[in-house]
């Protein structure tokens, strides 16, 4: 049996690296396939997990559109399948890389396994194009690896056969456990922010760029200045994001803006923060491991488990809503709450399910 595990973006490699490592550990013939959708950020991640690509399509070009990415990935797999035979192609999440790889595999009769299946926001255009991508991937997947019982229930409600669904937990918790075991997180955090209280910020989503992001940033600034607490913000490389962030936070003495950080550094910052304000999906899953409250700066979330568990609030993108949510986060105490997204053993469950 041969498996191909696909990634093209930073969030994908974080969530599939431990699956690849577990496959190798269990003696499964496995290729780690990089599309290169996000070149720089992906390359940064490989050293953290001690992995290299077996195949690299290197599709990244300046100013490429979603259709450019889709075409290049489909074509890349068309050529790859002429050279190598696979029993399974595993894709993760909801990127254009994942959707295109799943369709290309399905069209060639290769079984598709979808890691992190069953997530839904309920709005086809928010997030865009991720909501469409994950729905399409689930349609063509032989195996759907649902991270939670709620995501399994979503798939069953949509009419998928239960035999195709396995609840595994989320592989991002596996990645977190790997980093906690292999790195000194306090030392990593002090390289970026030495002392004092702070909250962590990440913002980058396509649908938030513009007025929504400005509203969010106004709330973050007002809270930081009012409470005299620093905000630590690794700013995304997207020039549109950077223009908005630097203009809205210009002159704020409590704002520490940094270049993008690697996964170890981000995990270290998350561990040391009072709470996190984000529009990221992954951080919604990771923060509860460290007992951190999440202010979700979005209009929708495909991770309702966070809200239901008590670890977060869907704040929206209006200034007052975000500001009110931050005061709730400031007072949060985790008590005996547990991370609803997994236990660190998802990767093994996924690999063993196709070894039977």
């Amino acid at each position: 049996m041969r498996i191909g595990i696909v990634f093209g973006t930073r969030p994908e490699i974080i969530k599939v690296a431990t699956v690849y490592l577990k496959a190798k550990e269990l003696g499964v013939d496995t290729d780690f396939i990089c599309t290169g959708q996000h070149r720089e950020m992906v390359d940064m991640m490989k050293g953290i997990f001690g992995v290299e690509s077996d195949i690299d399509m290197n599709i990244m070009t300046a100013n490429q559109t979603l259709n450019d990415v889709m075409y290049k990935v489909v074509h890349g797999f068309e050529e790859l399948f002429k050279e190598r035979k696979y029993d399974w192609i595993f894709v993760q999440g909801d990127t254009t890389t994942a959707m295109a790889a799943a369709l290309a595999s399905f069209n060639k009769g290769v079984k598709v396994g979808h890691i992190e299946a069953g997530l839904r926001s309920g709005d086809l255009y928010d997030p865009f194009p991720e909501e469409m991508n994950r729905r399409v991937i689930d349609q063509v997947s032989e195996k759907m690896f649902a991270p939670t019982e709620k995501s399994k229930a979503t798939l069953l409600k949509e009419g998928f056969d239960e035999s195709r669904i396995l609840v595994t937990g989320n592989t991002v918790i596996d990645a977190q456990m790997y980093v906690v075991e292999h790195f000194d997180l306090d030392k990593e955090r002090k390289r970026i922010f030495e002392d004092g209280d702070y909250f962590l910020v990440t913002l980058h989503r396509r649908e938030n760029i513009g007025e929504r992001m400005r509203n969010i940033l106004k709330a973050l600034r007002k809270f930081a200045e009012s409470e005299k607490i620093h905000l630590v913000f690794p700013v995304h490389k997207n020039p549109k994001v950077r223009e908005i962030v630097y203009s809205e936070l210009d002159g704020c003495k409590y704002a520490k803006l940094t270049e993008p950080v690697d996964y170890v550094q981000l995990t270290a910052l998350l561990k040391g923060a009072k709470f996190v304000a984000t529009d990221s999906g992954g951080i919604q899953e990771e923060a509860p491991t460290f007992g951190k409250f999440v202010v979700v700066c979005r209009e929708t979330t495909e991770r309702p488990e966070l809200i239901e568990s008590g670890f977060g609030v869907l704040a929206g993108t209006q200034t007052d809503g975000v500001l009110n949510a931050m005061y709730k986060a400031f007072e949060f105490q985790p008590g005996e709450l547990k991370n609803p997204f997994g236990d660190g053993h998802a990767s093994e469950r996924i690999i063993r399910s196709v070894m039977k």
Side-chain angles (χ1 to χ4, degrees):
M1 181 180 70
R2 178 184 289 157
I3 300 173
I5 300 178
V6 182
F7 65 99
T9 66
R10 181 178 183 272
E12 284 172 305
I13 190 171
I14 290 170
K15 292 187 174 185
V16 299
T18 56
V19 182
Y20 174 74
L21 291 172
K22 182 57 68 173
K24 289 295 194 181
E25 178 187 319
L26 295 175
V28 178
D29 184 6
T30 308
D31 283 343
F32 210 32
I33 305 170
C34 179
T35 67
Q37 182 178 338
H38 291 169
R39 180 83 272 165
E40 183 180 348
M41 289 184 169
V42 162
D43 289 344
M44 183 191 301
M45 294 303 306
K46 292 178 183 176
I48 290 171
F49 294 100
V51 295
E52 286 294 337
S53 308
D54 298 299
I55 293 148
D56 193 332
M57 297 179 182
N58 198 28
I59 69 166
M60 181 67 183
T61 56
N63 301 315
Q64 62 187 0
T65 68
L66 294 173
N67 285 337
D68 290 333
V69 172
M70 183 169 62
Y71 164 75
K72 291 174 185 176
V73 172
V74 170
H75 179 72
F77 275 92
E78 182 76 17
E79 296 303 308
L80 177 60
F81 290 147
K82 293 176 183 177
E83 300 173 4
R84 296 180 72 78
K85 303 298 182 184
Y86 294 94
D87 297 280
W88 289 91
I89 290 291
F90 286 175
V91 301
Q92 188 281 324
D94 49 27
T95 67
T96 302
T97 276
M99 182 270 291
L103 285 178
S105 302
F106 178 80
N107 287 341
K108 286 294 185 178
V110 180
K111 289 180 287 190
V112 176
H114 186 196
I115 299 168
E116 201 175 78
L119 275 65
R120 301 289 187 269
S121 72
D123 184 340
L124 189 61
Y125 297 97
D126 189 355
F128 175 87
E130 289 84 0
E131 179 75 1
M132 177 275 292
N133 286 340
R134 53 192 172 225
R135 294 190 195 186
V136 169
I137 296 167
D138 284 335
Q139 290 293 332
V140 301
S141 293
E142 184 77 12
K143 284 278 189 183
M144 287 167 273
F145 303 115
T148 66
E149 290 291 343
K150 182 172 284 289
S151 50
K152 176 183 177 179
T154 297
L155 293 167
L156 292 174
K157 186 177 179 181
E158 291 179 1
F160 291 103
D161 193 286
E162 188 169 10
S163 65
R164 294 166 61 189
I165 308 166
L166 176 67
V167 178
T168 61
N170 198 300
T171 56
V172 77
I173 310 304
D174 302 29
Q176 267 191 305
M177 295 302 98
Y178 180 96
V179 167
V180 168
E181 290 170 7
H182 288 80
F183 296 90
D184 183 340
L185 295 185
D186 290 336
K187 182 178 178 181
E188 292 292 335
R189 189 259 306 161
K190 287 178 180 178
R191 291 177 178 176
I192 302 167
F193 191 84
E194 185 68 31
D195 292 305
D197 288 339
Y198 66 92
F199 62 95
L200 178 63
V201 179
T202 71
L203 297 171
H204 72 281
R205 297 204 79 85
R206 188 189 310 265
E207 63 271 18
N208 276 351
I209 294 174
E211 194 61 31
R212 287 182 176 184
M213 190 168 290
R214 292 189 182 279
N215 292 340
I216 295 165
L217 289 165
K218 284 180 172 68
L220 302 184
R221 179 170 187 160
K222 186 173 182 179
F223 182 85
E225 292 177 341
S226 174
E227 298 302 320
K228 297 180 172 55
I229 182 172
H230 284 87
L231 67 89
V232 178
F233 189 171
V235 185
H236 198 277
K237 286 286 190 182
N238 185 321
K240 293 180 180 178
V241 172
R242 293 171 82 86
E243 187 278 323
I244 294 170
V245 170
Y246 281 96
S247 66
E248 290 295 334
L249 296 181
D250 181 51
C252 177
K253 68 178 183 177
Y254 294 101
K256 182 172 178 58
L257 308 181
T258 76
E259 290 300 305
V261 295
D262 66 30
Y263 184 59
V264 174
Q265 294 167 325
L266 185 64
T267 304
L269 288 172
L270 181 57
K271 181 173 182 259
K274 292 285 289 183
F275 63 89
V276 58
T278 186
D279 62 9
S280 164
I283 288 182
Q284 294 181 53
E285 299 155 348
E286 295 164 314
T289 296
F290 298 124
K292 307 303 179 182
F293 192 89
V294 184
V295 176
V296 183
C297 301
R298 291 171 56 180
E299 295 298 329
T300 62
T301 180
E302 55 287 314
R303 294 169 175 85
E305 296 91 342
L306 178 83
I307 314 303
E308 293 167 3
S309 71
F311 270 112
V313 62
L314 186 62
T317 55
Q318 296 300 310
T319 301
D320 287 347
V322 174
L323 187 60
N324 290 338
M326 293 176 76
Y327 278 102
K328 182 176 180 179
F330 206 38
E331 301 300 324
F332 175 73
Q333 296 293 331
E336 298 299 316
L337 296 178
K338 302 293 184 185
N339 191 330
F341 294 106
D343 60 4
H345 298 287
S347 299
E348 182 168 1
R349 294 187 186 103
I350 288 167
I351 296 300
R352 290 195 183 279
S353 75
V354 298
M355 292 175 67
K356 297 175 182 178

